Amino acid sequence: MKIAVLPGDGIGPEIVGEAIRVLDVLRKEGEPIEIERAHLGGAAHDAEGHPYPPSTQALARAADAILLGAVGGPKYDTLPRAMRPEQGILAIRKDLGLFANLRPAMLYPELASASTLKPEVVAGLDLMIIRELTGDIYFGQPRGRRTNKQGEDEGFDTMLYARSEIERIARVGFDTAMKRGKKLCSVDKANVLDTSILWREVVTGLAGDYPDVQLSHMYVDNAAMQLIRAPKQFDVIVTGNIFGDILSDEASMLAGSIGMLPSASLDVKNKGLYEPIHGSAPDIAGTDKANPLATILSLAMMFRYTFSRADIAARIEVAVRSVLAAGLRTADIAAPGERTVGTTGMGDAVVAALRE
Ligand code: IPM
Ligand code: MG
């Protein structure tokens, strides 16, 4: 199991450090885990002059799986766009063909009070957002800046999906639904966008191959509302890149804290990049405040999806559950007045629970 580790920027190195301690426990037990580190994002720009430098590209291509912390920070805000940390993420997704982004949103019962929504609305929440990750307006051409006939500046982007791109992500959606509650909601904007009309047509056309899955369609604006109104109506959501970007941030708040949620970005062979869905939180970087659980849970996803080791995945998840049940809380998931632990304190507890 060759794992490329890309700590990135801000809190990235701290949270990834705790995940590596989890890997060390497994390695000492005899699991054939190999780890190699490289830079991505701002750290890569600092060290090698590019957010996705050739050294990182070579390592990422050779690895079976990639663990990423987070990228970005105010220090890099003034760089030209091609050199910004976010371009590192977009480039590695595209380079490795990581088209399927799995973003679960579940609320651990222990954290029901951490959500800003009423406990009865979110208790027991368990939904999976499948976001297409290598197409759409993020990558569509043409894009750019120009001057129009009136002499005014314009910025423009192209929303675009080919039938094959829709089909392969839709199949991930159907397959995922088959393994879960057999309900798939496809989210689009087919009342306005041509891209979405094709999207809906293709998704509908596949439904016959999955007779056991109950398929529905929803416009993205309504989906944004329904996620807050009645999130438990959803099992699996499948959607395009930009809608998925927005809806998955929204869904993360149902789960109490963005500090809890892992993600997987998979290619056609289930090689994957695993990362917490939160950002690099430069405001708390280096202060031992960040919650490492989303990164540790990303490792669980890595063992489940890339290494087909559901046993290890479950062990990591059980360890996380047990530290939550024991009352350990980083600041982001603590109720007012509750005692908190830091990043390393939380890591200590997970490592101890794993060894039990
Ligand atoms: C995400 C992030 C990225 C995205 C940024 C950092 C480019 O918001 O992974 O959701 O927009 O995809
Ligand atoms: Mg996002």
Side-chain angles (χ1 to χ4, degrees):
M1 301 189 255
K2 264 172 116 173
I3 304 173
V5 173
L6 314 177
D9 308 320
I11 58 171
E14 292 166 74
I15 52 176
V16 162
E18 299 311 312
I20 288 179
R21 292 176 64 201
V22 167
L23 288 175
D24 286 341
V25 171
L26 298 166
R27 202 174 35 198
K28 288 198 185 111
E29 291 175 1
E31 297 297 344
I33 293 168
E34 285 169 52
I35 298 171
E36 260 193 89
R37 285 166 214 258
H39 294 301
L40 188 78
H45 185 265
D46 288 343
E48 299 177 56
H50 194 278
Y52 184 47
S55 56
T56 303
Q57 184 176 42
L59 189 71
R61 286 185 178 181
D64 302 314
I66 297 144
L67 179 69
L68 170 64
V71 302
K75 182 177 160 197
Y76 309 107
D77 282 352
T78 51
L79 288 173
R81 197 186 67 186
M83 288 296 143
R84 290 178 54 138
E86 295 81 4
Q87 294 303 313
I89 294 226
L90 297 175
I92 193 171
R93 288 173 180 167
K94 193 74 177 170
D95 182 41
L96 302 182
L98 306 172
F99 73 97
N101 186 209
L102 278 50
R103 297 190 168 189
M106 57 180 293
L107 183 64
Y108 290 87
E110 293 85 1
L111 299 182
S113 63
S115 176
T116 49
L117 274 81
K118 294 197 188 88
E120 63 267 27
V121 175
V122 287
L125 177 83
D126 178 9
L127 75 92
M128 176 71 93
I129 296 185
I130 311 260
R131 167 190 177 195
E132 201 289 331
L133 205 55
T134 52
D136 202 357
I137 195 164
Y138 270 58
F139 295 97
Q141 293 291 345
R143 64 187 292 169
R145 297 277 296 259
R146 64 189 168 202
T147 307
N148 68 15
K149 287 203 190 86
Q150 289 74 41
E152 196 182 351
D153 273 358
E154 288 180 347
F156 64 101
D157 299 273
T158 302
M159 180 175 269
L160 184 151
Y161 267 122
R163 177 176 289 276
S164 58
E165 291 175 297
I166 302 170
E167 192 171 318
R168 69 177 180 175
I169 194 69
R171 287 201 186 275
V172 175
F174 280 109
D175 289 336
T176 307
M178 281 300 287
K179 292 184 204 140
R180 294 175 42 108
K182 299 196 168 55
K183 268 169 66 183
L184 178 65
C185 179
S186 170
V187 171
D188 62 35
K189 188 70 185 171
N191 51 346
V192 177
L193 303 171
D194 281 301
T195 317
S196 283
I197 293 171
L198 177 65
W199 177 280
R200 193 174 280 218
E201 208 177 285
V202 174
V203 175
T204 305
L206 292 176
D209 293 351
Y210 304 88
D212 294 339
V213 175
Q214 183 195 325
L215 173 68
S216 61
H217 301 274
M218 201 179 271
Y219 298 137
V220 61
D221 50 347
N222 186 26
M225 184 179 75
Q226 295 298 335
L227 271 173
I228 298 296
R229 195 187 70 84
K232 284 187 274 181
Q233 70 185 281
F234 297 107
D235 174 23
V236 179
I237 290 175
V238 64
T239 190
N241 204 344
I242 185 98
F243 298 155
D245 178 45
I246 298 164
L247 293 181
S248 62
D249 262 30
E250 186 188 8
S252 73
M253 271 296 113
L254 306 171
S257 168
I258 200 163
M260 289 300 301
L261 295 179
S263 76
S265 305
L266 305 175
D267 77 359
V268 287
K269 292 181 172 157
N270 287 334
K271 171 172 175 164
L273 180 147
Y274 298 83
E275 57 175 318
I277 86 158
H278 60 71
S280 57
D283 52 320
I284 58 163
T287 63
D288 194 42
K289 286 205 182 94
N291 183 349
L293 293 181
T295 315
I296 292 171
L297 290 168
S298 298
L299 276 186
M301 289 189 90
M302 180 188 292
F303 284 104
R304 179 166 290 119
Y305 290 101
T306 293
F307 298 128
S308 300
R309 289 293 302 270
D311 57 324
I312 297 181
R315 252 183 89 196
I316 296 172
E317 286 160 357
V318 166
V320 168
R321 282 294 293 272
S322 78
V323 304
L324 291 174
L328 274 93
R329 301 284 184 271
T330 42
D332 58 307
I333 50 174
E338 233 174 354
R339 212 170 61 89
T340 61
V341 292
T343 312
T344 49
M346 189 59 105
D348 291 343
V350 174
V351 164
L354 208 59
R355 287 215 183 99
E356 267 163 24

